[in-house]
Amino acid sequence: GEQVEQLPSSLIVQEGASVLINCSYTDSASVYFPWYKQEPGKRLQFIIDIRSNMERKQNQRLTLLFDKKTKHLSLHITATQPGDSAIYFCSAPSGSWQLIFGSGTQLTVMP
Amino acid sequence: GALVYQYPRRTICKSGTSMRMECQAVGFQATSVAWYRQSPQKTFELIALSTVNSAIKYEQNFTQEKFPISHPNLSFSSMTVLNAYLEDRGLYLCGAREVALNYAEQFFGPGTRLTVL
């Protein structure tokens, strides 16, 4: 089945910095990759996704890059703010649509 | 809008006892519901996928005997943790989807946090 690896496990940056979160997956048949954000005490929040027929997708300060050949994804967050502090998860579908999640990246943005 | 509610939000049970948690979809038809567990180490594990009128598919390391699931209609699903022990503690999430929509966003509930004493 699908396996997803995510690095780094944690990031601490100053406000305004850019960060990069990397994920790799194993199932070449996977075609859809949603990313989520989890803030303390809040529900898992969808933030961006990409399909396998795309190489890049941008949503405001988020840019998601996808390399089908290497089965690799990268989430780039620019101009970080303290409100961006959360755990970020990449995911890939297992079977039909249920998700296999990466291990998460704890992002802390210091003011 | 589409929302998923989970009850209870937090629960504490004694080791060896059982507890039931519920997942309710509002604003869309939850044809499929996936149950996940987030461990204290923050990783998510997929427990099972339930689709109305189909057999429930459990992932490796999770069984119907331990985590029986009911999905009687398009708005409700429940899961019971039988004979809970320390390793069962964590945040249990349900994610629901309207299968008719390809690549539809999966909506997550806030989770039920289980503490086992």
Side-chain angles (χ1 to χ4, degrees):
Chain A
E2 177 73 275
Q3 293 180 41
V4 178
E5 289 194 6
Q6 183 173 347
L7 289 171
S9 58
S10 66
L11 282 168
I12 302 175
V13 299
Q14 288 293 132
E15 183 174 5
S18 295
V19 298
L20 192 68
I21 301 172
N22 295 293
C23 270
S24 61
Y25 64 99
T26 57
D27 188 354
S28 55
S30 292
V31 296
Y32 174 62
F33 305 91
W35 286 65
Y36 295 86
K37 172 182 175 181
Q38 186 182 37
E39 296 176 79
K42 294 188 178 180
R43 67 181 68 209
L44 206 59
Q45 177 189 357
F46 168 84
I47 53 173
I48 193 169
D49 61 5
I50 196 165
R51 302 181 189 181
S52 59
N53 60 354
M54 303 168 67
E55 294 181 348
R56 183 178 187 274
K57 188 171 184 180
Q58 184 169 359
N59 180 5
Q60 298 182 326
R61 295 183 293 110
L62 303 178
T63 301
L64 187 52
L65 301 177
F66 175 66
D67 188 330
K68 190 172 183 177
K69 196 173 178 181
T70 61
K71 302 195 195 70
H72 186 258
L73 300 105
S74 296
L75 177 66
H76 190 217
I77 308 175
T78 58
T80 54
Q81 304 163 1
D84 295 328
S85 297
I87 305 176
Y88 290 79
F89 293 94
C90 61
S91 69
S94 171
S96 55
W97 68 275
Q98 64 273 28
L99 299 173
I100 299 298
F101 287 89
S103 53
T105 297
Q106 172 78 63
L107 173 63
T108 303
V109 181
M110 309 291 288
Chain B
L3 276 177
V4 175
Y5 294 97
Q6 284 187 254
Y7 310 99
R9 291 293 304 276
R10 295 176 182 272
T11 186
I12 301 173
C13 67
K14 289 186 178 180
S15 182
T17 64
S18 302
M19 68 83 51
R20 180 171 177 263
M21 55 191 76
E22 300 179 348
C23 175
Q24 183 174 15
V26 175
F28 69 106
Q29 294 184 323
T31 311
S32 282
V33 172
W35 286 91
Y36 303 85
R37 178 172 70 193
Q38 186 179 30
S39 66
Q41 292 74 33
K42 303 300 184 185
T43 57
F44 281 97
E45 295 176 279
L46 176 63
I47 298 172
L49 174 66
S50 170
T51 302
V52 171
N53 298 326
S54 293
I56 298 170
K57 182 176 177 293
Y58 286 85
E59 292 295 299
Q60 197 173 9
N61 300 326
F62 296 95
T63 65
Q64 183 179 5
E65 290 70 31
K66 172 73 175 177
F67 299 95
I69 290 170
S70 171
H71 190 180
N73 56 54
L74 294 173
S75 63
F76 182 81
S77 177
S78 67
M79 184 176 74
T80 301
V81 181
L82 295 174
N83 298 318
Y85 289 99
L86 194 60
E87 59 265 26
D88 294 320
R89 73 189 195 279
L91 182 69
Y92 287 80
L93 290 182
C94 72
R97 178 177 183 252
E98 193 163 12
V99 175
L101 304 175
N102 286 328
Y103 302 123
E105 180 183 339
Q106 178 176 172
F107 299 102
F108 286 95
T112 293
R113 184 167 298 282
L114 173 61
T115 300
V116 181
L117 301 178

